[in-house]
Amino acid sequence: MREMTFEKRFQGPFGSVNGGYLAGVLGDAASSHVSSVRLRRPVPVGEPVYLFADDGWAAIRQCDQTLAETVDASEAVATTEFVPMDEALATDHPRFDLGMFADCFVCGRGGEAGLGVRPRPLADGRFVALWQPSSSGLIEGPLVPKRFLHSALDCPGGFAAIAASGHLAVTGSLTTRIDFLPETDQTLLVVAEATGREGRKLFATTTIFTESGLVAATAEAVWVTLETLSIDPAA
């Protein structure tokens, strides 16, 4: 058991920790190249929580409540179809702006030392982000750490799922496979697509590619809609 406090800069919506970053922290603690993290309750920023890890399992707890934990995961994690760099650069669609995520560590405009993963919609309904890890003040060294790959895989899938459904949502679970750690000084393509819906659950797959099309990491996510809020993706 280890006490820890997540800094505000790692937030997602509503003052809680970004789901992808949290999945990366738990994935690191579980020491597996494939991990599945279920977010049961929001993990607050700026408050002490406790990290538990044992024999391939990890969890975040606060006041005797489990806020997030790893669960059994299959080695088979889906990938999206590659989008060539010239196609990604050619998209003239504006960035899909979700106001409540404006300060998100991964995709938001504000905040210090964010990752700068800002998805744009493609004509086929998928989303793509050109990501330059070296632009983040947080990433040191020649390779992108696992927890930041998890982070980058989170938001684009949410954009795709939310746009397809018309309902705002938050991360419910993220199952991630890391194939290799890409170099920080290259441009990566993060491609996401919505893959279905079941009640309040929205499904999405997101993949991080190198410019040549190699898969560095991929994730399948479940997003849970917020019952009282909705959006018009065409607005």
Side-chain angles (χ1 to χ4, degrees), residues 48-135:
V49 295
Y50 294 90
L51 173 65
F52 293 78
D54 179 53
D55 193 24
W57 168 85
I60 296 288
R61 291 177 177 169
Q62 185 185 54
C63 300
D64 296 325
Q65 287 189 325
T66 298
L67 306 183
E69 66 179 334
T70 60
V71 296
D72 291 340
S74 168
E75 291 285 324
V77 184
T79 61
T80 58
E81 184 178 348
F82 177 61
V83 174
M85 181 66 75
D86 57 353
E87 182 179 339
L89 290 170
T91 179
D92 58 0
H93 292 277
R95 178 175 173 244
F96 193 68
D97 190 8
L98 302 178
M100 75 178 200
F101 299 121
D103 294 324
C104 174
F105 161 65
V106 176
C107 63
R109 300 184 301 272
E112 60 173 302
L115 286 187
V117 180
R118 300 190 171 92
R120 289 177 178 268
L122 295 167
D124 62 6
R126 292 185 296 160
F127 276 71
V128 63
L130 300 180
W131 179 34
Q132 295 178 312
S134 60
S135 65

Side-chain angles (χ1 to χ4, degrees), residues 124-175:
D124 62 6
R126 292 185 296 160
F127 276 71
V128 63
L130 300 180
W131 179 34
Q132 295 178 312
S134 60
S135 65
S136 171
L138 284 172
I139 300 178
E140 299 178 355
L143 302 178
V144 182
K146 287 183 180 180
R147 65 182 58 188
F148 295 132
L149 294 176
H150 283 81
S151 303
L153 287 165
D154 183 38
C155 295
F159 275 54
I162 290 169
S165 70
H167 290 272
L168 291 174
V170 293
T171 310
S173 68
L174 192 69
T175 301

